[in-house]
Amino acid sequence: RKEVEQDPGPFNVPEGATVAFNCTYSNSASQSFFWYRQDCRKEPKLLMSVYSSGNEDGRFTAQLNRASQYISLLIRDSKLSDSATYLCVVIPISGGYQKVTFGTGTKLQVIP
Amino acid sequence: NAGVMQNPRHLVRRRGQEARLRCSPMKGHSHVYWYRQLPEEGLKFMVYLQKENIIDESGMPKERFSAEFPKEGPSILRIQQVVRGDSAAYFCASSPSRSQSKGYGYTFGSGTRLTVV
């Protein structure tokens, strides 16, 4: 099983729709989680951290389910500008330093 | 406060040549990470360095690839005798010290796109 797995998509959704992505991880000792966004041919940028209690930033909601070992990202009222690839990031505690593992990303295409 | 600086942005090399990719971390960041992204694929970890030390190189190919982060100057990812399969985007990221990076995440440079012809 891969350390971090994501559905590659693409998810094609109309403007205004709600869309959700999941990301599963295999290391139960994982401690920190993030969602990054990567636009075509650009560098990944931090979208939001994922906290155990769940967190919201405008139209974006991130949640963590430790029991089932997955994190989720919910986007409400999708905009054309949300079209991008969304990468989940998992940081375990390993060997005294933090080796960050990226998922391969889920591609979102918001359609007019 | 400049972000993570990578240069060159684009690099074209002929097969068999050497490629040198540079990464200057954000001010105050002492940890540097290199990732490779092949076309239409995800980010793959290559190497993690602190000043003058390689901490984890488990993602580096065993041959032709090397990385350093000297006491002075940028981190360098060096690829010797490049082949077509090395064509990819190479991203560098930096973070503050480990204790400060919890919950912080990375800052990425804009990448170097290597094309081997």
Side-chain angles (χ1 to χ4, degrees):
Chain A
R1 186 182 172 185
K2 287 184 180 177
E3 289 182 75
V4 180
E5 286 196 79
Q6 291 185 254
D7 181 342
F11 284 57
N12 297 313
V13 302
E15 267 186 292
T18 295
V19 62
F21 314 130
N22 281 348
C23 168
T24 59
Y25 59 94
S26 60
N27 186 345
S28 59
S30 298
Q31 195 164 73
S32 299
F33 308 88
F34 305 90
W35 283 102
Y36 275 72
R37 170 191 168 130
Q38 186 175 26
D39 292 287
C40 187
R41 300 183 65 79
K42 298 276 186 69
E43 74 272 23
K45 292 186 178 176
L46 179 65
L47 179 66
M48 58 197 304
S49 303
V50 185
Y51 303 126
S52 295
S53 54
N55 48 303
E56 190 173 306
D57 183 2
R59 298 181 294 109
F60 298 82
T61 300
Q63 294 195 309
L64 166 63
N65 185 317
R66 284 195 185 274
S68 300
Q69 294 183 209
Y70 74 87
I71 62 172
S72 64
L73 178 68
L74 180 80
I75 306 174
R76 288 180 298 277
D77 189 22
S78 299
K79 311 288 185 194
L80 294 176
S81 57
D82 294 333
S83 297
T85 297
Y86 291 84
L87 309 169
C88 74
V89 174
V90 173
I91 302 181
I93 299 298
S94 173
Y97 75 91
Q98 299 182 354
K99 179 176 176 179
V100 175
T101 302
F102 283 82
T104 52
T106 297
K107 189 170 183 178
L108 171 66
Q109 186 69 45
V110 181
I111 304 162
Chain B
N1 184 18
V4 178
M5 305 300 291
Q6 286 189 254
N7 67 81
R9 291 291 299 275
H10 300 276
L11 181 62
V12 179
R13 285 286 178 266
R14 295 187 186 280
R15 279 179 294 172
Q17 290 185 320
E18 178 180 287
R20 279 184 179 240
L21 288 62
R22 295 174 187 76
C23 169
S24 296
M26 281 184 72
K27 189 176 180 181
H29 286 194
S30 57
H31 298 223
V32 166
Y33 314 80
W34 285 94
Y35 286 80
R36 176 165 66 174
Q37 188 171 36
L38 294 168
E40 304 303 319
E41 293 192 13
L43 287 163
K44 295 287 173 61
F45 169 80
M46 298 183 77
V47 62
Y48 162 40
L49 310 104
Q50 295 178 28
K51 284 283 186 183
E52 300 184 278
N53 285 306
I54 296 175
I55 306 302
D56 181 355
E57 56 181 348
S58 58
M60 287 276 272
K62 294 286 185 279
E63 296 176 353
R64 304 188 296 108
F65 285 72
S66 62
E68 62 176 4
F69 189 14
K71 188 176 180 181
E72 301 292 336
S75 175
I76 307 286
L77 179 67
R78 183 179 173 209
I79 312 172
Q80 294 178 291
Q81 299 175 322
V82 296
V83 301
R84 286 228 171 102
D86 297 333
S87 296
Y90 292 82
F91 289 101
C92 164
S94 72
S95 73
S97 64
R98 178 169 59 90
S99 61
Q100 293 172 313
S101 67
K102 261 190 178 181
Y104 171 83
Y106 283 166
T107 300
F108 278 90
S110 51
T112 293
R113 278 152 189 84
L114 172 66
T115 303
V116 180
V117 297

